[in-house]
Amino acid sequence: MLGKSGRSDQDFADEIRSHIEIEADRLVEEGMDREQAVAVARRAFGNVAISRERFYESNHWMWLDYLKRSVRQALRAMGRSPVSTAAIILSLTLGIGATTAIFSLADQALLRTLPIRDPGRLV
């Protein structure tokens, strides 16, 4: 997929876990209790969820994710009220059709010259 790097989310999670384990092992070697060492290592690393979220956002096109979510929500809303959906689609169809027809007439009458020999003398 476009926007993806070679690393997976699981690979990044494993890397975070190994950083915490390395720091915890170092603290255990200094004489700290294992549970306390893991807790201190986690605090030193920072918020794991935010790190994983930033990694996810850096490897995805977020606007595409937001667009997909919005389209799914719109389709669910259209399924819940089919009468409103039909009225909206009908009004959009009529509006676009009328606008296209008016623009086509204006384009022919005002913007393009008539297909005759001397259009300036036409009264």
Side-chain angles (χ1 to χ4, degrees):
M1 179 177 139
L2 294 172
K4 276 276 205 188
S5 72
R7 295 178 68 185
S8 68
D9 291 337
Q10 185 59 45
D11 181 39
F12 188 70
D14 292 342
E15 184 175 343
I16 290 173
R17 189 170 37 258
S18 68
H19 279 290
I20 292 172
E21 287 176 7
I22 289 170
E23 180 64 17
D25 290 342
R26 187 185 67 78
L27 292 171
V28 167
E29 286 176 7
E30 292 178 359
M32 194 178 285
D33 180 41
R34 182 71 185 169
E35 287 182 25
Q36 186 181 9
V38 170
V40 170
R42 283 188 176 278
R43 277 195 304 272
F45 184 83
N47 192 332
V48 175
I50 289 177
S51 298
R52 291 186 73 181
E53 186 175 324
R54 284 186 183 155
F55 175 76
Y56 177 84
E57 289 175 353
S58 70
N59 289 327
H60 290 82
W61 290 347
M62 295 310 294
W63 63 268
L64 188 59
D65 286 349
Y66 296 143
L67 178 66
K68 282 192 253 182
R69 197 175 319 147
S70 296
V71 167
R72 273 185 272 164
Q73 181 181 1
L75 290 174
R76 282 195 305 268
M78 286 173 22
R80 283 193 297 264
S81 58
V83 174
S84 297
T85 301
I88 290 169
I89 290 174
L90 180 64
S91 64
L92 281 171
T93 303
L94 291 174
I96 292 170
T99 303
T100 303
I102 291 170
F103 179 75
S104 295
L105 289 174
D107 182 45
Q108 287 296 320
L110 303 174
L111 301 176
R112 296 177 192 236
T113 58
L114 296 173
I116 57 174
R117 193 175 351 186
D118 192 10
R121 295 189 59 207
L122 186 63
V123 177

